[in-house]
Structure formats: C-alpha cells, structure tokens
Amino acid sequence: MPKLDFDIITLGHGSGGILTNKLLEAGVFDLLSNPLLDTHHDGAMLNLTGRVAFTTDSYVISPVFFPGGNIGELAVNGTVNDLAMCGAIPKYLSLGFILEEGLTMAEFWDILVSIKGASERAGVQIVTGDTKVVERGKGDKIFINTSGIGELHPQANISIKNVRAGDKIIVSGHIATHGMAIMSVREGLEFETSLTSDTAPLNHTVLALLDEFGQDIHLLRDPTRGGVATVLNEIARDRNVGATRVGIDLKQAAIPVLDEVAGACELLGLDPLYVANEGVFLAIIAPEVADAFLEKLQTLDYGQSAAIIGEVVAEHPGQVVLTSRIGGRRVVNMLVGEQLPRIC
Amino acid sequence: MKHLTEYRDPELVEQYIQELHRTATRPWTIMEVCGGQTHGLVKNGILNLLPDLVTMVHGPGCPVCVTPVNLIDKAVYLAEEKNVILCSFGDMIRVPGSTKSLLDAKAGGADVRILYSPLEAVRLARENPDREVVFFAVGFETTAPANALSVVQAQKLRLKNYSILASHVLVPPAMEAVIQDDDTNIQGFLAAGHVCAIMGTGEYGPLVERYKMPMVVTGFEPVDLLQGILMVVRQLERGDYKLENQYTRIVRPEGNPEARRIIEQVFEVVDREWRGIGNIPGSGWAVRAELADFDADRKFSVSIPKVPECSDCIAGLVLKGIKKPRECSQFGRACSPERPLGAPMVSSEGACAAYYHFSMSELVND
C-alpha cells in the first residue's frame, strides 16, 4: 500500500478536488495502470472490431470481505462472466465506486489489489471509472459497478432461440458454494466451515469450449443470484425459446453439491438450487456433442466437477421438473422473494 | 450428511413403496400433522409414488401459517409506532397482516431484523439499552424452549428492554379439533416428530384411545415418512389403533425433560386463535403473568382491532384436511405466495405453498 496522509475515506475524497485526486493517483491509477487508463480522459477510446457484447452489473454485498474473496474480484469476475456467457472475449471494463465515508484506506487498498489480480487473470483492462463518496450509514462500506465490453467469439451463436427439446443441460461445477460461504459469515448466522467462495473468471474456460464446440453451444448462463433454479425457470418460461416452448427435466442425483454445502443448506432449510453461485455456469448443449463437451469441460479450469444435470424437453412447457433422489417428481418453481431460513 | 443419506436411500424407499402397495387393500386417508412432513412429502415427490388407495391430507402444522393476523398487526404496530427493534425468524416476516407484513414495515423504515435465535435478540437488547427489543416468538412446541430460554436469560441479566410477543401453538389440541370436525374423514395420523422430541408422546395415547385412531410419531426424511405411513396402514388394515413411534432415533416417550422444565417456567397454557381455523381451547402458550415485564402483549398493552379473514379463502378446510390446496378456486390465481389470501399459502411449509412450489400439473405460468 502506498504511503498516504489519510487512512480513512472521507466525504472530501468524493468532492472532485485535491483529495479525490490524491486518492485516485495514489490508489487507483498507479495500481491499475494501463495505456488507456493512463490517458486520464473523460472516457476511454477503444479499438473494437466485429460483433461486440456489452454488459453492466452492480455489486452490493455484505460482508464485503468473505471467505475466498472480496467485492473487488467479484465485481471483475461477475462482469467478465456476463460477457463470457454471451460468447464474448472480454476486453475492457469500467469501474465505478460508491464509497461510504469511514471505509479504511487499508480495506480499499485490499479491494483494489483484488481488482487488479482479477482483471489480470481474466485478461481484461480497466479503462475508465468513477468514484463517489456517500455519508456514513448511506452505503455498505463500498458498492462497485462494473461495465464491460467484449468481442464476440467468431463461432459464438448463443441465443435462447437456439434452445430446443433434446438439448442437454450441463453445470460446470458444484453449485451453491458461493452463497453458503457468504452466509457462513453473515452476522447472526456465523457457522464454522472451510467453505470458500467459488468466484472465478470463466471466460478462458468458455472460450476453449467455443473453439471446439462452436454453434452446438446453444445457451450459456451464469446462475448467480437466484441460483440454478431461477435461471432454468427463466429459460423454460422464455417465449423466445426455439420453435415451441419447452420444459426442463432435472435429475437431483446428478447435480453436484459439496457435502458441506448440502449440510449447511439442510440445517438452514435452504434449497441449494436457489443459492447464489459465482464461479459456475450452465450450458445448454446440442445432444450430439454433450458428452464430448462434458469431457472437455472436465479437463479445463473450473470445470472438473461438471456434470450433465438434465435435459430440455417438449413435455410440461414452461416448467422445470425435478426427479428427486428417491425417484419422485416435483416442480422446481421460481422463488418468491429471497430464500429465508426456516423457523423449525 | 452421512446420518441423513440412509433415510434417503432410493432402494429402501422403493422397498417401502412396494410394501405399501402390497399392504393397502382398501382406501385410507391419513393426515400428516406437521408442515415439515407436508414439505418432505411434496418436495421429494412422494405423493405420486404412493398407492392410489392411500390418500395423504395435510394438517395444520405450520406455526407461521396459523399465526393470527391480529398478532402480525401488533408486531407491525410495535415496530412502526413504538420505536421497537422487532426481531423475527425469517419466514415470519413475509406473512401478511391485515394491511402489511413485517417486510413491508421494514421497507417503510421500521427496524425489523431477521434473527436465527432468540438469544441474539437478548444480545441486541443488551447492546441497545435505549431501545425496546421485541422478539416475535412464533412456533410449535419445538421452538418454545429457546424462546423461553431467552426470557430466562433476559431476567437473569435484569434487562428492562426485552420482551417477546408470544405466538406459540400446541399440536395435540389442534389434532383433537381436526378429529372432532364433522367434515373430516381422517383415519390415522402421522404425529409430528420434532414436537414429540420436546414434549414426549404422553399426550397422544389418550387421543388414540378416545378416538380409536392409529397414530405414528414420524420423522421427516423420505424413509421416515414412508415407514410411518406403512405403520399406520398396517394398523388400519388390521383394524388396530395404537400409538407407535417410527422416530425412535430422536423421540423418547418422556421427551426432553430439561426443555419441558424451561417451557413450564416461562409459559402457561391458554386458549388460542388459529389463523384459518379459529379458537381452539388450550392450544397456545402465553408468557406467565409473573413474567409480565417480558411479555410484549402486556408490556405495551396494544389494542389492535380484529379484522375478518378473507372470505374467498378455504384455509380452514385445507388446514383441517377437508380440502386439498388444488381444490381451491383461488389457488395459483388470486392466491400465491407473493399475494397469499390465507394461512396455508403464507409460509413455505404451509400446504398450499408446498403445492404451489413443488407439485406437478397445471401451475399457472402466464
């Protein structure tokens, strides 16, 4: 951390004056330096060719430091992954901070270092940004917005329109790990666990799959907030899907969940299907290549625990139906509001 | 998880299903009392594996669902008007009162906090001596010991700013009310395992004798549920009626004496209003008069006018096992977990909500 004459963020650091300048020069620009950011212009002037994907996301998480990561790398990985799910090669990110008065410079520095590390791992450049400071009590230490631009992979043709009955549903790794890692450090709920968040950049993994399987990858989605159940319901309910509406069949026994995660969910009365993920994606794949896709994915970073968990079907259009471990069948519905731990 | 997998073993489940198919020769109607059991049956898809001759009906065993509207209104009032830190278990805060839920009140600025243990509420009271902390103490016999313990602890710490809004309901009187209803056609019961783990099985023997009805104390995993159903069906087929315990790994006949002692110390039995059902004599626990300082009801003497329940809702019939959720014309239409009209749709363990979330067929997606 650079030597600074302040150790906490004050309202002045958002004023646009000298303090803002000190914070940016010492904290942000030096650390995240790259030719585009170093121009210090009002915006970034970029060179892009062909089809482009563009996305934005805001990160509000409590606590901002959690087992396995912090809000900084989450903000980079999240937007990188959103681009990857479009079949894009992430290139440039913007970074918007809303800092709460009182945030320590040490904490901010740790977050910045994580941002730098995450952007290097993902191979993206942070080229423009913004910093505001809000009064104490009006933020949760720090909120981050990241927008990202990427060039679409030449083979990518990822669209809900491509989804059809017979397609296989593949999950790239253990589900619900991130959500339970966060919950394990939530105030009032702290429980001892070795769980860490699975936050990770998925772009390299996805691009390797696109190189090989191209247009047979019909859809990619990262099941963050709302979990796997929500994403699959969105697909089943989407009116733009294929030629006719589809249903989804899931096999509970095939869905990878770490024992520790399953145990924690059990205790709290939560269903892992609805718990948030950060380093996991769902792929809807043409059936002819599904096995080969899975085999390849299992050799790639973040894909070792991948599994085929279900199938797109013509039956029960609009619904996700799960075959339970014991062979019973039931609907997996959209969640109403937030999943809350049960009373007994 | 290891201790659970044996109760979820697909092969064992299959054996029980086949045994049930062999055993049931006539139509039988069995009620599982507890919402957790309803949830287990529907979530695991067990209902559609049972023989057609065995019909499961769902009981009143969701404490969140049966909490009266008036009590929720009181909790909302305390949070909004009395500068109270209102603490509650998570699944209670979405349940609508007559005009709003605690979640609505929270969104409007009231200090409503979701806690996971009433002892945390005691800690909050210590940390906020200038605020009143009220814990919305909801539940059956299962949650009562911890809620009672919070009062004992607050008393020990001489806290003047901690109280509970008690909304405890008791299972055996509710079972008796269900049996006595002329419209019910229940021939046997799965009694609620966790309730019996606390209270023991002493109250159930007299019920079995009085109404000549088989009851099996049952757990919540697929194998538990199927074994419990099979035990009831076997009794029915034999023309027998007795109290049996499927859940012996958890339930002792005497229950948990220490938990019962602390409940006795803090609570006394009172008549109690059940949302969707009405008044059931001797079916609730209130804080003992000598502990009035820790009883939010007495401490704040809030008078909230009672509002009649929605007339389109057949909650009472569902809670008494007379109707299935799908037999309600409002199910999935005017009534959903987002906008529940009545008790069984409000908490995830209510029968209507369990059907809404998990059961197959014509859910309305449009």
Side-chain angles (χ1 to χ4, degrees):
Chain A
M1 186 169 152
K3 206 166 164 51
L4 299 167
D5 55 5
F6 57 90
D7 54 13
I8 62 165
I9 301 292
T10 63
L11 286 173
H13 289 109
S15 66
I18 282 181
L19 280 176
T20 307
N21 204 259
K22 272 187 178 178
L23 175 69
L24 293 181
E25 289 296 341
V28 182
F29 289 140
D30 281 0
L31 189 68
L32 303 180
S33 167
N34 63 58
L36 284 161
L37 187 67
D38 293 349
T39 62
H40 297 188
H41 207 278
D42 282 353
M45 284 156 274
L46 311 173
N47 255 331
L48 289 161
T49 54
R51 294 183 303 156
V52 166
F54 176 47
T55 187
T56 188
D57 209 341
S58 298
Y59 296 82
V60 289
I61 186 165
S62 176
V64 294
F65 293 92
F66 48 80
N70 65 49
I71 191 171
E73 60 189 296
L74 204 65
V76 173
N77 289 341
T79 292
V80 162
N81 291 348
D82 283 347
L83 290 171
M85 295 306 115
C86 303
I89 301 157
K91 305 284 277 188
Y92 305 112
L93 254 54
S94 72
L95 187 60
F97 291 119
I98 295 175
L99 309 178
E100 186 186 12
E101 181 187 22
L103 174 73
T104 68
M105 197 51 214
E107 287 175 305
F108 188 42
W109 184 256
D110 282 348
I111 291 166
L112 284 170
V113 169
S114 286
I115 288 170
K116 178 182 167 68
S119 54
E120 282 171 0
R121 277 190 295 280
V124 292
Q125 288 184 309
I126 289 158
V127 293
T128 185
D130 180 49
T131 304
K132 297 283 188 296
V133 181
V134 294
E135 283 171 49
R136 190 187 280 269
K138 293 195 171 167
D140 211 346
K141 283 195 173 181
I142 177 169
F143 300 142
I144 302 180
N145 172 275
T146 43
S147 296
I149 288 183
E151 289 168 349
L152 282 179
H153 187 285
Q155 304 301 320
N157 180 26
I158 290 166
S159 163
I160 189 84
K161 288 194 177 103
N162 298 334
V163 174
R164 64 208 61 204
D167 285 356
K168 301 290 183 193
I169 300 162
I170 293 173
V171 67
S172 66
H174 292 109
I175 68 163
T177 310
H178 172 76
M180 294 318 290
I182 300 288
M183 235 170 250
S184 74
V185 288
R186 278 265 159 90
E187 195 189 354
L189 195 64
E190 296 96 337
F191 52 88
E192 275 192 35
T193 173
S194 54
L195 281 180
T196 55
S197 167
D198 59 359
T199 178
L202 298 169
N203 53 322
H204 303 305
T205 308
V206 166
L207 295 176
L209 292 163
L210 276 166
D211 283 342
E212 192 159 334
F213 299 100
Q215 303 217 342
D216 288 326
I217 302 175
H218 291 170
L219 193 65
L220 295 170
R221 296 289 298 272
D222 61 339
T224 51
R225 210 168 27 143
V228 169
T230 302
V231 165
L232 292 179
N233 266 287
E234 283 168 3
I235 295 168
R237 290 166 187 226
D238 199 309
R239 294 197 169 277
N240 296 314
V241 74
T244 53
R245 288 184 80 197
V246 295
I248 285 175
D249 270 351
L250 280 183
K251 299 260 180 279
Q252 189 177 33
I255 301 169
V257 186
L258 291 171
D259 271 357
E260 205 170 338
V261 169
C265 284
E266 195 76 43
L267 264 176
L268 295 170
L270 304 177
D271 186 339
L273 281 172
Y274 294 97
V275 176
N277 307 279
E278 282 297 339
V280 172
F281 65 90
L282 285 166
I284 312 270
I285 304 297
E288 311 83 72
V289 302
D291 289 337
F293 180 96
L294 178 67
E295 238 168 76
K296 170 83 180 178
L297 174 53
Q298 286 171 336
T299 67
L300 298 171
D301 284 346
Y302 316 117
Q304 286 87 343
S305 309
I308 297 179
I309 60 168
E311 192 174 330
V312 179
V313 294
E315 296 80 38
H316 53 79
Q319 289 195 326
V320 180
V321 173
L322 175 120
T323 303
S324 74
R325 255 184 214 91
I326 62 157
R329 278 161 68 78
R330 57 116 160 151
V331 162
V332 176
N333 220 326
M334 277 282 200
L335 194 63
V336 179
E338 200 185 344
Q339 230 193 165
L340 297 169
R342 70 175 168 215
I343 185 168
C344 64
Chain B
M1 289 298 287
K2 281 200 178 69
H3 63 291
L4 279 179
T5 46
E6 58 190 296
Y7 302 102
R8 295 174 181 179
D9 177 13
E11 281 180 29
L12 209 50
V13 164
E14 180 58 29
Q15 284 172 28
Y16 276 113
I17 301 265
Q18 286 184 10
E19 185 59 22
L20 263 169
H21 278 269
R22 280 193 292 271
T23 307
T25 62
R26 281 167 285 165
W28 301 115
T29 301
I30 302 167
M31 171 178 273
E32 84 281 355
V33 175
C34 175
Q37 292 169 329
T38 307
H39 196 78
L41 288 171
V42 184
K43 185 176 175 183
N44 290 294
I46 292 174
L47 292 179
N48 50 32
L49 298 174
L50 294 176
D52 290 342
L53 291 170
V54 177
T55 303
M56 298 304 296
V57 294
H58 317 303
C62 165
V64 172
C65 302
V66 299
T67 295
V69 175
N70 188 253
L71 264 184
I72 297 167
D73 287 350
K74 260 185 200 174
V76 168
Y77 172 83
L78 289 175
E80 288 185 334
E81 303 292 329
K82 295 287 180 187
N83 192 28
V84 154
I85 302 176
L86 198 289
C87 309
S88 168
F89 290 131
D91 45 3
M92 194 66 225
I93 74 160
R94 256 201 298 263
V95 182
S98 61
T99 55
K100 60 175 85 165
S101 66
L102 284 167
L103 197 61
D104 298 329
K106 183 173 170 19
D111 195 346
V112 176
R113 306 202 191 173
I114 300 170
L115 301 185
Y116 306 92
S117 157
L119 299 181
E120 278 176 61
V122 176
R123 179 179 59 81
L124 265 181
R126 287 182 80 176
E127 289 170 1
N128 296 275
D130 53 336
R131 303 277 303 275
E132 283 288 341
V133 174
V134 176
F135 186 75
F136 199 0
V138 178
F140 279 106
E141 292 92 328
T142 38
T143 52
N147 293 343
L149 187 64
S150 78
V151 170
V152 171
Q153 202 179 65
Q155 192 182 25
K156 228 180 248 173
L157 294 167
R158 300 209 171 94
L159 294 180
K160 300 285 178 215
N161 63 332
Y162 179 73
S163 56
I164 65 173
L165 187 59
S167 178
H168 278 291
V169 276
L170 307 179
V171 167
M175 286 169 80
E176 189 155 16
V178 167
I179 298 169
Q180 286 175 341
D181 193 297
D182 291 340
D183 294 325
T184 54
N185 180 34
I186 297 156
Q187 291 149 306
F189 277 99
L190 303 186
H194 291 155
V195 170
C196 296
I198 303 293
M199 300 304 290
T201 56
E203 289 177 273
Y204 296 84
L207 279 179
V208 168
E209 289 301 323
R210 206 176 307 145
Y211 298 101
K212 302 191 184 339
M213 199 173 271
M215 289 187 193
V216 177
V217 178
T218 303
F220 301 83
E221 296 302 324
V223 170
D224 291 324
L225 291 161
L226 286 164
Q227 195 180 21
I229 294 167
L230 180 62
M231 288 162 82
V232 173
V233 171
R234 279 181 176 151
Q235 285 197 49
L236 290 168
E237 290 281 339
R238 287 197 305 265
D240 205 357
Y241 55 90
K242 58 184 175 185
L243 176 68
E244 291 184 290
N245 184 5
Q246 180 277 330
Y247 206 31
T248 49
R249 68 182 187 278
I250 302 286
V251 173
R252 306 274 169 274
E254 69 281 12
N256 180 331
E258 180 56 24
R260 292 177 67 175
R261 191 191 58 73
I262 199 158
I263 289 171
E264 178 80 5
Q265 188 184 335
V266 173
F267 295 122
E268 60 191 349
V269 173
V270 292
D271 295 350
R272 175 69 152 68
E273 193 77 26
W274 290 54
R275 187 172 187 158
I277 294 183
N279 190 276
I280 303 178
S283 69
W285 274 325
V287 177
R288 288 186 173 281
E290 59 267 32
L291 293 168
D293 290 351
F294 300 96
D295 180 359
D297 228 348
R298 290 188 177 99
K299 186 173 185 177
F300 297 98
S301 46
V302 183
S303 176
I304 302 279
K306 284 195 177 172
V307 177
E309 290 182 33
C310 170
S311 58
D312 291 338
C313 173
I314 61 163
L317 300 176
V318 173
L319 290 167
K320 286 187 275 192
I322 296 166
K323 293 266 188 194
K324 288 280 183 89
R326 289 194 182 286
E327 292 175 66
C328 175
S329 61
Q330 307 300 322
F331 179 86
R333 295 178 176 85
C335 183
S336 68
E338 293 135 279
R339 282 167 304 152
L341 289 182
M345 191 61 101
V346 294
S347 149
S348 60
E349 293 200 359
C352 295
Y355 270 68
Y356 185 92
H357 285 298
F358 299 131
S359 79
M360 308 277 292
S361 91
E362 78 300 347
L363 281 185
V364 184
N365 290 321
D366 300 302

